[in-house]
Amino acid sequence: MNSPPTHAPILIIDDHADIRLAMSMLLRSEGFSVVEAASPESACAIAASQAFSCALVDLNYTADTTSGHEGLALVARLRELAPGMAQVVMTAWGSIDLAVQAMHRGAADFIEKPWNRDRLLHTLRAQLNLHDVSEENRRLRAECALHRAGTDGVCMTESSAMRRVLELVDRIAAGDANVLVLGENGTGKSMLARDIHAHSPRALCPFIRVDMGSLPEARFMDDMFGDESWQRPGRFELAHRGSLVLEEISTIPVFQQVKLLRVLEEGELERHGSGLTRRVDVRVISTTNTDLEAAARASRFRLDLLYRLNAMQVRLPALRERQEDIIPLARHFLLRECRRLGRDAARLSPFAERAMRAYPWPGNIRELEHTIERAVLATTGGEIDLDALALQRQDDAPLLLDRITLPEAEELLIQQALERNDNNLQRAADALGISRQSLYRRLDKRRLKDPFESVE
């Protein structure tokens, strides 16, 4: 017995019980799951409440045993109820005209009764394979849609620095020139590249990314330009009519950089092992955290390649340069993480928000995102406090006190002194250079005294 892949059940629709029984026994012996329906009405009711991979639909029922009109109407109705379900029609009164009518109403294939066992199984398996391909295509389209929608993090902004970037991106996206995206690690360069593609006339065409830093030298030619012996297209061919993102472009060795010049200049390439020239239409978006002009002066990057990649340039500001965006981004990541975990929405405590504004975020948006994810997991209640954030102390980076108000700075210094001294008020007061009574007054003024009344 064959071992068919796992599929949703097959719906057998026929008003003759012996035919349903014979077909069910045959299909179950081949490992298929089946459900039976004795009339068009029951078939519609079942199809409306359960998912099926395929339906075997008889064309004649009690009202009219020869014309096939009931069956054709049923095919059309099932098409409305379950558009993703394949339908194979069957009748003992088959004709080319009836088959064509059934196809027009949504049937995928046609068999005659009494059926040929091999023909029936071959038809069913072909339809199930097509069903699998269709489902996979639908899933990939949904993933692409999610990816396109996933750029809101980097583009969520209240800062003037980032608004200027987005205005520039809007202008760039409408064109067709290659783009170089600069920025520190974690600033969202790849997400911005996706945003450029999503807002360009190429948005419905492929969006292909390749991390040049992790691409082995031995695979560079095959991966980028394809391999004829395996009939495998390269990244440039896969991105035809779309966008190709070359991440960390500065990591390409100099001797391989020259191999990109021709396809960037003329849009032509040959697969490895082939002399056939292929033309591609690709917009290249490169990203890097390296000063490529300095690399070119040091002979580590070809200047002619830089000119071809750098037709348009976007520099993403570090998160510390868009301080107004820290809290909106944090709230966005917090809401998203709570939804992902199926938890009620949490909020950031006022003190946690002040600490986040003062933190330098050397890892930029990526560090902020991971900090929120960690804080949500570490918190059981509805409020994220400073302890849950677990911000790393920057020994070589002073607190950014110029970004918060004087009362906020005072609260932050008091809180940190208490944390360093295990909430011991006398030691915290000594560390702050004030008396214990003065510390009490400040805590009382800010209504922070209660949590520490039990300590010394």
Side-chain angles (χ1 to χ4, degrees):
M1 182 176 70
N2 295 329
S3 299
T6 302
H7 295 101
I10 296 171
L11 179 61
I12 300 173
I13 312 168
D14 199 299
D15 56 342
H16 293 283
D18 54 341
I19 291 179
R20 295 199 306 274
L21 176 62
M23 187 163 286
S24 295
M25 291 177 64
L26 169 62
L27 297 185
R28 287 194 174 108
S29 71
E30 294 294 320
F32 295 107
S33 174
V34 300
V35 173
E36 299 178 20
S39 67
E41 294 75 18
S42 62
C44 291
I46 294 172
S49 61
Q50 183 177 351
F52 292 91
S53 56
C54 183
L56 288 164
V57 184
D58 187 26
L59 286 181
N60 293 298
Y61 295 88
T62 54
D64 182 349
T65 58
T66 59
S67 69
H69 290 164
E70 281 183 284
L72 292 175
L74 176 58
V75 168
R77 180 61 179 146
L78 289 176
R79 182 72 173 174
E80 295 175 359
L81 291 172
M85 178 179 69
Q87 296 187 57
V88 176
V89 295
M90 52 186 183
T91 179
W93 304 90
S95 69
I96 296 299
D97 179 64
L98 201 57
V100 170
Q101 291 185 55
M103 297 290 188
H104 284 169
R105 300 193 184 203
D109 210 335
F110 183 92
I111 60 173
E112 290 184 85
K113 294 191 292 187
W115 58 80
N116 176 280
R117 178 182 182 280
D118 292 339
R119 155 73 173 154
L120 171 62
L121 293 177
H122 174 78
T123 300
L124 271 181
R125 290 196 172 103
Q127 292 306 318
L128 293 178
N129 288 336
L130 288 173
H131 178 268
D132 289 346
V133 171
S134 177
E135 288 298 307
E136 178 69 5
N137 185 49
R138 196 180 349 266
R139 184 185 65 77
L140 291 174
R141 286 178 179 275
E143 285 185 4
C144 288
L146 285 175
H147 284 309
R148 280 195 287 269
T151 61
D152 57 345
V154 68
C155 297
M156 179 178 293
T157 184
E158 296 180 2
S159 70
S160 56
M162 195 60 196
R163 280 201 296 270
R164 287 194 293 272
V165 169
L166 296 182
E167 290 170 1
L168 176 60
V169 165
D170 283 342
R171 295 195 297 273
I172 288 175
D176 213 31
N178 293 335
V179 183
L180 179 62
V181 181
L182 305 172
E184 296 180 6
N185 288 333
T187 50
K189 298 185 291 295
S190 296
M191 287 191 289
L192 191 75
R194 189 183 298 279
D195 198 55
I196 293 171
H197 172 78
H199 290 87
S200 75
R202 298 170 178 263
L204 297 180
C205 296
F207 176 79
I208 304 296
R209 290 171 54 186
V210 54
D211 181 359
M212 307 308 296
S214 63
L215 183 62
E217 291 183 10
R219 286 177 40 199
F220 179 85
M221 291 296 291
D222 292 353
D223 269 41
M224 299 305 297
F225 303 116
D227 186 342
E228 186 65 18
S229 60
W230 292 93
Q231 288 291 299
R232 187 177 62 191
R235 305 298 181 101
F236 275 98
E237 284 187 74
L238 292 174
H240 183 53
R241 299 188 187 282
S243 301
L244 175 63
V245 178
L246 304 180
E247 297 177 338
E248 300 306 328
I249 186 73
S250 64
T251 60
I252 302 178
V254 173
F255 74 93
Q256 288 182 328
Q257 292 173 15
V258 67
K259 298 170 183 174
L260 294 173
L261 291 176
R262 181 183 171 212
V263 67
L264 291 175
E265 182 71 22
E266 302 174 12
E268 293 181 349
L269 58 86
E270 287 87 32
R271 291 182 182 177
H272 184 222
S274 170
L276 178 64
T277 298
R278 301 170 188 270
R279 289 201 59 81
V280 292
D281 173 17
V282 175
R283 184 184 209 182
V284 174
I285 305 174
S286 307
T287 71
T288 184
N289 60 0
T290 300
D291 183 345
L292 291 184
E293 292 185 356
R297 289 193 296 272
S299 300
R300 289 184 284 107
F301 200 86
R302 293 182 64 102
L303 195 57
D304 48 2
L305 178 59
L306 176 59
Y307 290 151
R308 287 167 174 78
L309 297 174
N310 196 26
M312 299 298 296
Q313 184 180 112
V314 180
R315 179 189 171 278
L316 267 175
L319 188 54
R320 62 181 175 277
E321 299 173 48
R322 41 187 295 204
Q323 196 250 351
E324 305 97 312
D325 295 335
I326 293 174
I327 300 306
L329 281 169
R331 291 171 178 168
H332 166 74
F333 293 138
L334 178 58
L335 180 61
R336 188 192 66 186
E337 192 64 10
C338 288
R339 285 176 176 168
R340 188 181 72 82
L341 296 175
R343 294 174 48 171
D344 292 336
R347 67 184 182 89
L348 295 161
S349 72
F351 205 88
E353 291 192 353
R354 283 193 285 273
M356 294 175 76
R357 282 199 295 270
Y359 185 70
W361 300 107
N364 293 296
I365 295 176
R366 184 182 299 131
E367 182 183 9
L368 174 62
E369 184 176 10
H370 292 173
T371 297
I372 295 298
E373 290 174 358
R374 184 175 60 238
V376 171
L377 292 175
T379 302
T380 56
E383 184 173 89
I384 305 293
D385 59 17
L386 182 58
D387 289 341
L389 292 177
L391 298 176
Q392 298 296 314
R393 188 177 300 280
Q394 304 295 305
D395 294 333
D396 56 347
L399 281 175
L400 303 179
L401 297 179
D402 57 329
R403 297 182 179 179
I404 56 179
T405 65
L406 181 59
E408 289 176 343
E410 181 181 283
E411 287 188 22
L412 184 61
L413 291 173
I414 290 174
Q415 178 67 21
Q416 291 186 341
L418 289 167
E419 289 176 359
R420 289 196 304 272
N421 293 282
D422 299 324
N423 288 336
N424 185 296
L425 294 181
Q426 184 59 61
R427 293 205 302 270
D430 293 342
L432 291 167
I434 59 178
S435 67
R436 180 185 174 111
Q437 291 73 22
S438 179
L439 178 57
Y440 260 127
R441 286 196 297 273
R442 284 171 167 77
L443 290 172
D444 186 53
K445 180 180 177 182
R446 311 254 176 250
R447 299 182 179 178
L448 292 175
K449 181 179 178 180
D450 288 348
F452 310 112
E453 282 185 338
S454 60
V455 299
E456 181 183 352

